[in-house]
Amino acid sequence: MRKKVTIVGSGNVGATAAHWIASKELADVVLIDIIEGVPQGKGLDLLEAMPIEKRDSYVKGTNDYADTANSDVVVITAGIPRKPGMSRDDLLKTNHKIMSDVVAKVVQYSPNTILIVVSNPLDAMAQAAYKLSGFSRNRVIGMAGVLDSSRFRTFIAEELKVSVENVTAFVLGGHGDTMVPLPRYSTVAGIPITELMDQATLERLVKRTRDGGIEIVNYLKTGSAYYAPSAAAVEMVEAILKDKKKIMPCAAYLEGEYGINGLYVGVPVKLGERGIEQIVQIKLTADEQAALNKSAESVKELIGVIGV
Ligand SMILES: NC(=O)c1ccc[n+]([C@@H]2O[C@H](COP(=O)([O-])OP(=O)(O)OC[C@H]3O[C@@H](n4cnc5c(N)ncnc54)[C@H](O)[C@@H]3O)[C@@H](O)[C@H]2O)c1
């Protein structure tokens, strides 16, 4: 039987995620939004590209959650995006209200699904979705680290003039100011980047990664990044649908791992058909652990505001 993926929110990130999924023929896609006509229009438009792309993914846009029934994975992108000068935290209350509405309906129609949360502020929204859904923690995963790592990889490849395929990178922690890039675990063809560039260059790339979201917002002015964010979410979808057991940095609910309890924080996880199949614990230096703790503290502050 074909796999089914629902994408909630058919704005920039949602519609582009649908595009990646259909173009890779990973699953049939349901695009849903509260705005009438937009998911239907984008869904039909994408469906009409399938003969050219030689893909048999069926794409449907809708405003009715009945159409999302029995989805294998649901990607939640509903929310308002960050505008110039607006911090991720400003989005907190509005997006929490949206999340409450969305998760209740998703769970009603797809009680066995796996949720991938994309809406910002990411870690707090993942925590809200986890609490609202009543799902076990392996089935509610936040997307941030894959995107942040991809940005870091892009900048490393550009700097060293090597193929992006040669570059692996790890970015842990929160999405935003508290992200924790790990140069020690970032490599080019297996060589740690700490051996390939000086400290000043490394720090410049780390800073650009940390500010990666705002760099795009400042260019676009009326919206935020969506090609790379949607590609990152779809890499997670693919790992789950194909049971790849792929290790990638995702926001996960920690219960004592890394000394953190009861919070969503970005850590390396193994993704497979059951969602998060393992939280991978790596040794951190005292500085890295302190940065991760700081990241956890900021998530704690946010969830305190919305009470989840
Ligand atoms: N985690 C990340 O790394 C990351 C990266 C990029 C964007 N984001 C976040 O993803 C979200 C979407 O970004 P975007 O650029 O696609 O925004 P967008 O405005 O283009 O799309 C959001 C869509 O959500 C819809 N929506 C609002 N309330 C809804 C509801 N109750 N039910 C269903 N749909 C609803 C809107 O109608 C809109 O079409 C934002 O919160 C943004 O900050 C996160």
Side-chain angles (χ1 to χ4, degrees), residues 13 65 69 150 153 171 245 260 279 300:
V13 176
Y65 276 86
S150 185
R153 288 165 68 191
V171 175
K245 319 279 189 204
I260 295 167
I279 290 174
K300 202 171 185 176

Side-chain angles (χ1 to χ4, degrees), residues 8-15 32-35 38 42 65 76-82 88 91 95 97-99 101-102 117-122 143-144 147-148 151 175 223-226 229:
V8 185
S10 46
N12 282 336
V13 176
I32 187 162
D33 204 289
I34 38 163
I35 301 177
V38 169
K42 290 188 179 181
Y65 276 86
I76 303 180
T77 75
I80 58 158
R82 203 155 45 120
R88 282 198 173 86
L91 294 172
N95 283 352
K97 235 176 110 210
I98 292 172
M99 195 61 65
D101 172 48
V102 165
V117 178
V118 178
S119 313
N120 275 321
L122 190 273
M143 187 291 289
L147 169 64
D148 297 330
R151 284 183 173 145
H175 191 44
S224 56
Y226 54 98

Side-chain angles (χ1 to χ4, degrees), residues 5-307:
V5 175
T6 285
I7 297 171
V8 185
S10 46
N12 282 336
V13 176
T16 317
H19 184 181
W20 294 116
I21 292 172
S23 67
K24 291 168 188 246
E25 207 176 44
L26 293 178
D28 289 341
V29 183
V30 176
L31 259 180
I32 187 162
D33 204 289
I34 38 163
I35 301 177
E36 284 177 26
V38 169
Q40 289 86 345
K42 290 188 179 181
L44 180 60
D45 191 12
L46 187 51
L47 181 68
E48 290 167 356
M50 292 300 102
I52 301 168
E53 290 295 302
K54 303 179 185 63
R55 296 289 187 253
D56 280 309
S57 286
Y58 192 79
V59 187
K60 182 186 167 92
T62 184
N63 306 113
D64 181 356
Y65 276 86
D67 291 322
T68 71
N70 302 317
S71 293
D72 295 284
V73 178
V74 175
V75 181
I76 303 180
T77 75
I80 58 158
R82 203 155 45 120
K83 310 215 166 69
M86 188 184 191
S87 79
R88 282 198 173 86
D89 304 359
D90 294 337
L91 294 172
L92 182 60
K93 288 188 175 157
T94 313
N95 283 352
H96 177 233
K97 235 176 110 210
I98 292 172
M99 195 61 65
S100 312
D101 172 48
V102 165
V103 171
K105 289 174 182 152
V106 163
V107 168
Q108 181 189 344
Y109 286 97
S110 299
N112 300 315
T113 196
I114 292 172
L115 298 177
I116 296 178
V117 178
V118 178
S119 313
N120 275 321
L122 190 273
D123 308 281
M125 288 304 108
Q127 181 121 357
Y130 168 63
K131 295 283 163 100
L132 290 160
S133 66
F135 285 2
S136 54
R137 66 173 179 159
N138 60 304
R139 290 202 285 139
V140 185
I141 316 159
M143 187 291 289
V146 177
L147 169 64
D148 297 330
S149 300
S150 185
R151 284 183 173 145
F152 196 26
R153 288 165 68 191
T154 305
F155 304 146
I156 294 166
E158 208 176 21
E159 182 69 30
L160 296 175
K161 299 188 176 47
V162 295
S163 164
V164 292
E165 288 184 55
N166 279 147
V167 185
T168 62
F170 245 96
V171 175
L172 305 185
H175 191 44
D177 303 339
T178 60
M179 81 177 55
V180 186
L182 294 183
R184 284 187 311 126
Y185 289 109
S186 303
T187 66
V188 174
I191 308 159
I193 56 166
T194 43
E195 291 183 25
L196 298 171
M197 57 180 78
D198 59 34
Q199 190 61 22
T201 308
L202 190 54
E203 277 168 20
R204 177 166 49 80
L205 301 192
V206 164
K207 182 175 183 324
R208 192 172 175 199
T209 303
R210 198 167 274 140
D211 298 337
I214 205 72
E215 185 177 4
I216 308 269
V217 168
N218 287 339
Y219 279 124
L220 294 179
K221 297 196 175 62
T222 56
S224 56
Y226 54 98
Y227 287 112
S230 56
V234 170
E235 192 185 26
M236 293 164 65
V237 169
E238 183 171 20
I240 294 166
L241 293 181
K242 293 185 176 170
D243 191 24
K244 284 178 82 83
K245 319 279 189 204
K246 198 165 182 176
I247 294 177
M248 39 181 110
C250 299
Y253 189 73
L254 300 186
E255 293 174 328
E257 297 88 355
Y258 292 94
I260 295 167
N261 209 357
L263 288 173
Y264 267 80
V265 177
V267 293
V269 302
K270 187 193 282 178
L271 287 191
E273 66 179 349
R274 289 182 289 115
I276 294 179
E277 301 195 345
Q278 188 192 342
I279 290 174
V280 181
Q281 300 212 55
I282 53 175
K283 269 210 175 108
L284 299 179
T285 63
D287 282 354
E288 289 161 353
Q289 182 66 47
L292 199 65
N293 292 346
K294 201 172 144 218
S295 176
E297 277 307 313
S298 86
V299 180
K300 202 171 185 176
E301 210 174 287
L302 292 187
I303 61 161
V305 176
I306 52 173

